[in-house]
Amino acid sequence: NDSVGWLRTFLSAGLNKTLMSDRNMLDRAVFTFERMVRKYSNDLNVWLKYVDFCQAYGFESKLSSLYPR
């Protein structure tokens, strides 16, 4: 019960906001995937992992540029 109360306090205090550093980490992951796709262009698993990542984190613009390749 104590942990639930702490979680409620944490969430109500607005401490669950997305920070700029969170976005920067996602941008770095996208950059890494882009490099992997260029280097291992014949490896289907790399492409599928990149597609899964983009879908999970809402990078629709990356997905739309990824499918024509």
Side-chain angles (χ1 to χ4, degrees):
N1 268 345
D2 190 49
S3 63
V4 174
W6 177 84
L7 181 61
R8 261 191 218 117
T9 304
F10 180 78
L11 293 175
S12 67
L15 299 176
N16 62 340
K17 294 189 268 183
T18 303
L19 303 175
M20 281 182 63
S21 61
D22 297 336
R23 182 62 187 189
N24 290 340
M25 290 188 326
L26 291 176
D27 289 340
R28 282 179 169 218
V30 167
F31 178 72
T32 303
F33 270 117
E34 286 288 334
R35 288 181 64 195
M36 287 173 51
V37 164
R38 268 195 311 256
K39 187 170 184 177
Y40 305 109
S41 59
N42 294 330
D43 190 356
L44 184 61
N45 287 330
V46 172
W47 287 91
L48 294 177
K49 291 286 185 182
Y50 189 25
V51 168
D52 289 342
F53 174 80
C54 289
Q55 287 176 339
Y57 289 102
F59 286 105
E60 277 82 18
S61 62
K62 293 289 181 188
L63 275 175
S64 64
S65 68
L66 192 62
Y67 281 124
R69 289 195 224 173

